[in-house]
Amino acid sequence: MIDPRTYIIGERLREVKRIITVASGKGGVGKSLVSATLSLLLSSRGKEIGLLDLDFHGPSCHIILGATDIEPLEEYGIVPPRLNGVKFMTIAYYIGDEPAPLRGEEISNVFIELLSVTRWGKLDYLIIDAPPGIGDEIADIVRLVRRCEFILVTTPSKLSLLTVERTIKFLKELRQPVIGLIENMVLRESGEGIKLAEKYGIKYLGSIPYTVEIEDAIGSPSRILETVFSKKLAEIAVASGLL
């Protein structure tokens, strides 16, 4: 039986021009930081932006954005609050800092519910912060959101490059559009990220150097936008046609 909520999801996203999912092969590569900062950058340039944190096991965008005293409104669904111009939705509104030991169909059910009740309205971009890896959550994003474009995030480490390669293969098999690959936390240029992108015919969007200042800026959107991390990501956004 087809879940009627899947039809509602299409209606909720009907006025969203582009949906960009930020994904990675493993955790700890700065994927959520890229998602949140990209949302702030696009909003600061006059774009209407939504940010959806779908990392149910470790939501962190609310920490990055300093979203401590806000919550969504209920009005014929859920209306995401605005934070620095960004419409922001996360499961953290409901579970706080408590663990959410969801599995399989439970994750899919929560995912469907979140997408079907959230009223985004008109958006230029909806940025989705996806869980790391190639689990059911990514398959659900492809199945339910459909018109996604993917940005992949890795670090230069061999382990990170290996796991993001699996993600690239997975998305290729599903024939999903990949905007390109971002290499984060770079201490020295090795060229391995470029080689990986070329191997699979995707665009290497650029590298972001490792800096301490971004850690100190977490929780303050205005400070995040002043960091080297943000400036390098802005260059990447311009080069990829997002800005």
Side-chain angles (χ1 to χ4, degrees), residues 26-227:
K26 63 185 294 295
V29 300
K31 169 184 57 64
S32 295
L33 197 54
V34 168
S35 300
T37 305
L38 180 60
S39 299
L40 291 171
L41 282 167
L42 292 170
S43 177
S44 71
R45 305 297 175 88
K47 304 294 185 181
E48 192 68 28
I49 303 300
L51 172 61
L52 175 60
D53 188 345
L54 281 181
D55 193 346
F56 293 160
H57 300 297
S60 58
C61 284
H62 65 293
I63 298 172
I64 295 168
L65 296 176
T68 54
D69 298 320
I70 61 173
E71 58 184 32
L73 299 175
E74 292 189 22
E75 184 180 346
Y76 304 105
I78 302 297
V79 180
R82 283 185 183 271
L83 191 67
N84 280 70
V86 176
K87 293 181 180 179
F88 177 50
M89 190 64 184
T90 172
I91 195 176
Y93 288 141
Y94 304 102
I95 66 171
D97 294 324
E98 297 300 316
L102 302 173
R103 297 181 180 86
E105 290 187 10
E106 294 174 323
I107 293 176
S108 293
N109 188 55
V110 173
F111 181 26
I112 292 171
E113 186 68 18
L114 205 57
L115 283 172
S116 64
V117 301
T118 304
R119 296 177 54 197
W120 293 107
K122 292 183 179 181
L123 294 178
D124 292 305
Y125 295 99
L126 174 62
I127 308 297
I128 298 177
D129 182 28
I134 53 174
D136 291 342
E137 297 93 334
I138 293 291
D140 278 341
I141 290 173
V142 171
R143 176 173 64 91
L144 296 167
V145 180
R146 297 183 181 178
R147 54 190 178 91
C148 272
E149 304 167 69
F150 285 82
I151 289 177
L152 301 173
V153 181
T154 184
T155 67
S157 77
K158 292 180 180 179
L159 179 58
S160 182
L161 289 166
L162 178 63
T163 54
V164 83
E165 183 173 8
R166 295 193 189 106
T167 305
I168 294 171
K169 289 179 180 178
F170 182 67
L171 293 174
K172 286 280 189 179
E173 288 174 3
L174 295 177
R175 297 183 179 179
Q176 294 302 296
V178 177
I179 295 172
L181 178 69
I182 295 174
E183 199 169 10
N184 189 29
M185 302 183 195
V186 175
L187 291 172
R188 57 182 177 83
E189 299 290 347
S190 67
E192 293 303 314
I194 296 174
K195 291 178 184 177
L196 180 61
E198 290 177 345
K199 179 179 178 180
Y200 290 96
I202 64 174
K203 190 173 181 179
Y204 180 78
L205 298 178
S207 64
I208 302 174
Y210 175 80
T211 61
V212 176
E213 65 170 347
I214 187 63
E215 184 68 25
D216 296 333
I218 286 176
S220 172
S222 60
R223 289 181 62 190
I224 288 173
L225 288 173
E226 295 173 355
T227 62

